[in-house]
């Protein structure tokens, strides 16, 4: 996809690594580098037997992202087809409003999970929590598919247009006002570690004009490949790899 990444970084080696990764991937970085802070990092603990992880976030410079930063980039945000945000930086409802006003599909990946005001949900075309994040957002248990459907319905009641609950090895539940579909996972090989590839794949697919359900399937294929590899950015597949997996599934 034609992607712009808006963030704040420190003036350090991690920032240099990020800029190099974006350059190699063809991503347009819209970043401010703050020498008085540090680049945000995630410390990831992996369960060897399953590949499941627990993540400690140190947001660094990203914690200072403000409404003023969103206003300064309102033309970019307002021109997007798809706008994705998450909770590793202060959630800025102003950015969601700008994106909505420009006609973008708005996606909130609510991680790390926290309770949110209902006004935020009303600005989200898609919310993409995992099981634990769904429980925090809704106060409802998510231990099986039926419970996931109930919790997804609660997210719609809170104002979300469509809930997509990622369920690991069970797949992804797509739940809107008109349909509820469990998209099965893609088996691309043994799991090495879990990650965050789904949202990028889903957003890219939407930007290319796929239907929401097709985009969930595409994002699931992206995730299916990524979990067979170690690392975060290095585990992300190419478009050709995703298309090959989709073609044989």
């Amino acid at each position: 996809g034609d992607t712009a990444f808006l963030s704040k970084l420190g003036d350090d080696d991690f920032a240099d690594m990020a800029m190099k990764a974006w350059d190699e991937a063809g991503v347009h970085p819209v970043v401010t580098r703050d020498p008085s802070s540090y680049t945000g990092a995630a410390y990831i603990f992996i369960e060897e037997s399953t590949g499941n992880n627990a993540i400690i976030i140190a947001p660094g410079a990203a914690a200072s992202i403000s409404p003023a930063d969103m206003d300064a980039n309102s033309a970019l945000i307002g021109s997007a087809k798809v706008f994705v945000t998450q909770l590793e930086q202060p959630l800025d409802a102003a950015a969601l409003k700008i994106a909505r006003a420009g006609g973008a599909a708005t996606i909130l990946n609510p991680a790390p999970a926290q309770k949110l005001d209902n006004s935020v949900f009303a600005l989200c075309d898609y919310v993409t929590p995992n099981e634990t994040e769904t429980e925090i957002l809704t106060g409802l248990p998510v231990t099986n598919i039926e419970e996931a459907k109930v919790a997804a319905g609660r997210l719609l009641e809170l104002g979300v247009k469509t809930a997509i609950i990622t369920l690991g090895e069970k797949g992804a539940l797509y739940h809107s006002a008109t349909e509820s579909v469990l998209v099965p996972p893609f088996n691309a090989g043994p799991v090495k570690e879990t990650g965050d590839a789904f949202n990028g794949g889903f957003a890219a697919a939407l930007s290319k004009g796929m239907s929401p359900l097709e985009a969930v399937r595409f994002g699931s294929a992206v995730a299916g490949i990524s979990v067979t590899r170690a690392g975060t950015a290095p585990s992300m597949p190419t478009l050709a790899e995703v298309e090959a997996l989709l073609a044989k599934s």
Side-chain angles (χ1 to χ4, degrees):
D2 180 11
T3 304
F5 196 100
L6 196 159
S7 189
K8 286 189 173 182
L9 307 177
D11 189 13
D12 50 34
D13 289 345
F14 281 143
D16 293 340
M17 288 170 60
M19 296 296 284
K20 182 175 184 292
W22 291 329
D23 181 62
E24 291 174 350
V27 171
H28 175 53
V30 184
V31 302
T32 302
R33 295 182 68 158
D34 181 0
S36 67
S37 187
Y38 62 91
T39 299
Y43 302 87
I44 305 173
F45 298 84
I46 301 166
E47 184 178 48
E48 187 174 0
S49 62
T50 66
N52 289 332
N53 64 32
I55 303 175
I56 299 173
I57 301 296
S64 65
I65 293 174
S66 69
D69 296 308
M70 302 302 105
D71 290 340
N73 291 281
S74 60
L76 175 65
I77 296 169
S79 66
K81 286 184 178 179
V82 180
F83 177 77
V84 184
T85 190
Q86 35 75 45
L87 302 180
E88 290 184 21
Q89 80 291 314
L91 178 67
D92 183 12
L96 287 166
K97 290 177 182 177
I98 294 168
R100 261 290 181 82
T106 54
I107 303 172
L108 171 63
N109 176 24
Q114 59 185 265
K115 288 288 188 180
L116 297 172
D117 189 89
N118 289 1
S119 61
V120 173
F121 291 120
L123 296 170
C124 299
D125 290 311
Y126 305 95
V127 173
T128 60
N130 63 21
E131 302 101 312
T132 303
E133 292 154 0
T134 302
E135 290 181 4
I136 292 172
L137 294 174
T138 66
L140 299 172
V142 181
T143 62
N144 55 49
I145 304 303
E146 289 308 311
E147 288 181 349
K149 290 181 179 180
V150 172
R154 176 59 179 153
L155 286 170
L156 266 59
E157 291 172 0
L158 292 170
V160 173
K161 186 176 179 181
T162 301
I164 301 168
I165 301 178
T166 56
L167 299 164
E169 71 278 5
K170 299 183 186 71
L173 176 67
Y174 173 88
H175 190 92
S176 70
T178 58
E179 59 184 334
S180 186
V181 180
L182 180 66
V183 176
F186 288 84
N187 184 357
V191 174
K192 287 193 174 179
E193 61 182 79
T194 56
D196 280 331
F198 174 82
N199 285 277
F202 175 66
L206 282 182
S207 76
K208 297 299 184 184
M210 291 187 191
S211 72
L213 198 52
E214 288 174 327
V216 171
R217 191 167 183 266
F218 185 92
S220 296
V222 173
I225 297 171
S226 74
V227 299
T228 67
R229 303 168 179 174
T232 48
S235 73
M236 301 299 164
T238 64
L239 176 60
E241 290 174 316
V242 176
E243 290 178 336
L245 180 60
L246 286 167
K248 70 178 185 181
S249 300

